[in-house]
Amino acid sequence: MPDGDTLRLNNGEALKLLGMQDKNLALFAKTFGVKLILTDEGLQVNGPSPGREQAADLLNQILAIIRAGNSPDYAEVSQMVQNYRASRTDHRTLYRDEILTTPRGKKVIAKTPGQHRYILSIKKNDLVFCIGPAGTGKTYLAVAIAVRALKEKQIAKIVLTRPAIEAGERLGFLPGDLQDKVDPYLRPLYDALLEFLGLETYQKYMEKGVIEVAPLAYMRGRTLNDAFIILDEAQNTTPEQMKMFLTRFGFGSKAIVTGDITQIDLPRETVSGLRQVIGILQGIEGIEVIYLDETDIIRHKLVADIVQAYAKRAPRRK
């Protein structure tokens, strides 16, 4: 139409598309410079080009996602708008690649094109490095894929590990035994497992040793077959620790290494194992490195702005 496009939809679809208190409507009006009017014929999109065509295209994408049984909330719609403006993302593709549904009914999917590349890379390769700032879903998505692989009996065990480098030799002042001392560093991994499995299944798997969450030092001397192994916060490994970890996984296993090379807690004179290994393993078949950035952050909008501001001011670490 020369000055307006109309989306055919019913009342239930309109409620989901416009959002709580029509917040999505206001978001589209502000972002694309359009006016959305709900009529007996459907949702009319009015405004100048190219904003009108872009808004109509994205609204059609969201409508298709709703008709497929999803109910994206305002935060998800905001992310879709951001993705679309940056790269004309087709979000129907992202929603088709659902990883799993949590016990509470939440569907876990990629929210950005970068996250989607990450998921596809894990499916294709036995060893994947994912490097990016906080909030980009590096660990969250890896744990989700591991849980799905366990449920589908593609693997027999999940092993999640992190270095406790931040504590260094100061673990002794903390109360409790060694496990109590390192648990705070592993808490994000426990939280993700609880979300994806529910408390009862999580406890059962932990008791049977099907899922193991342990500090990196516990990996030494082991070989893990038919396992999904995730090393989190890998920027805080030394080169020796990284080599030790990468030689742990055996037949039928996958290893995912995640980290943020802008947040290294090692002593300044110590080389980060994550930084070093990227160059060493470059070009080996079956290994891929995925880089995420502030456009992949799925947290409060200010988090992306904060990451970007720090990136501009931070001194380069040798």
Side-chain angles (χ1 to χ4, degrees):
M1 299 175 70
D3 58 352
D5 297 314
T6 300
L7 282 68
R8 309 290 177 183
L9 70 176
N10 60 40
N11 287 338
E13 292 167 346
L15 284 170
K16 291 180 180 179
L17 190 61
L18 297 180
M20 190 78 68
Q21 299 176 332
D22 292 344
K23 288 178 75 174
N24 297 347
L25 184 151
L27 175 64
F28 272 79
K30 179 181 178 182
T31 304
F32 296 102
V34 296
K35 188 173 184 180
L36 305 181
I37 303 170
L38 194 59
T39 68
D40 292 339
E41 294 182 352
L43 183 66
Q44 194 171 53
V45 186
N46 297 321
S49 297
R52 185 185 75 246
E53 292 85 358
Q54 292 172 3
D57 181 30
L58 182 52
L59 285 165
N60 270 310
Q61 289 184 29
I62 299 172
L63 185 57
I65 289 166
I66 290 168
R67 286 172 176 166
N70 303 286
S71 299
D73 58 23
Y74 178 73
E76 290 173 305
V77 171
S78 297
Q79 186 66 47
M80 291 183 200
V81 169
Q82 181 180 314
N83 294 342
Y84 189 87
R85 293 195 72 196
S87 60
R88 298 293 181 269
T89 306
D90 187 341
H91 295 87
R92 291 165 291 197
T93 304
L94 304 188
Y95 272 80
R96 276 196 294 269
D97 275 347
E98 178 188 329
I99 301 172
L100 55 76
T101 301
T102 70
R104 294 191 174 188
K106 177 184 175 183
K107 293 187 177 183
V108 180
I109 61 163
K111 298 290 181 66
T112 70
Q115 289 187 350
H116 193 230
R117 287 195 305 274
Y118 179 35
I119 291 170
L120 294 178
S121 178
I122 293 174
K123 289 180 180 178
K124 186 173 101 177
N125 300 284
D126 286 338
L127 175 57
V128 174
F129 294 87
C130 186
I131 297 171
T136 50
K138 304 182 297 294
T139 307
Y140 184 83
L141 292 173
V143 175
I145 295 169
V147 168
R148 176 177 172 170
L150 183 63
K151 286 182 174 181
E152 293 179 351
K153 300 190 176 176
Q154 297 172 13
I155 55 166
K157 185 181 183 71
I158 296 174
V159 178
L160 309 176
T161 185
R162 295 177 100 177
I165 293 294
E166 303 95 318
E169 295 300 319
R170 299 191 296 276
L171 282 172
F173 80 86
L174 294 171
D177 59 21
L178 181 59
Q179 193 63 44
D180 292 330
K181 295 175 193 292
V182 299
D183 269 356
Y185 299 98
L186 306 172
R187 177 50 51 192
L189 304 177
Y190 290 125
D191 291 343
L193 287 168
L194 274 169
E195 179 179 347
F196 298 141
L197 292 168
L199 180 60
E200 188 177 334
T201 304
Y202 164 79
Q203 288 177 333
K204 180 179 74 174
Y205 283 160
M206 292 291 285
E207 286 168 7
K208 290 184 174 181
V210 174
I211 294 178
E212 180 181 346
V213 184
L216 182 59
Y218 285 25
M219 297 296 105
R220 189 172 299 279
R222 303 177 62 186
T223 300
L224 298 165
N225 296 319
D226 299 314
F228 202 116
I229 315 157
I230 300 171
L231 170 58
D232 191 31
E233 297 289 336
Q235 74 275 5
N236 288 328
T237 60
T238 64
E240 293 77 19
Q241 287 173 321
M242 179 61 74
K243 181 181 177 183
M244 179 272 290
F245 171 80
L246 294 177
T247 53
R248 294 310 92 201
F249 75 102
F251 296 109
S253 291
K254 276 184 182 284
I256 312 300
V257 178
T258 69
D260 177 2
I261 53 177
T262 69
Q263 294 193 26
I264 297 172
D265 297 311
L266 294 164
R268 186 160 288 276
E269 66 278 4
T270 304
V271 175
S272 165
L274 180 60
R275 274 187 178 276
Q276 183 195 66
V277 77
I278 301 306
I280 293 174
L281 302 182
Q282 190 172 12
I284 298 178
E285 188 176 350
I287 300 175
E288 188 169 0
V289 181
I290 298 293
Y291 292 93
L292 303 178
D293 58 31
E294 60 270 11
T295 63
D296 298 296
I297 291 176
I298 311 297
R299 286 188 184 170
H300 192 289
K301 174 187 171 298
L302 284 176
V303 175
D305 296 336
I306 290 167
V307 168
Q308 206 166 26
Y310 268 97
K312 288 178 182 174
R313 298 290 296 270
R316 214 174 200 6
R317 181 183 172 115
K318 293 183 181 179

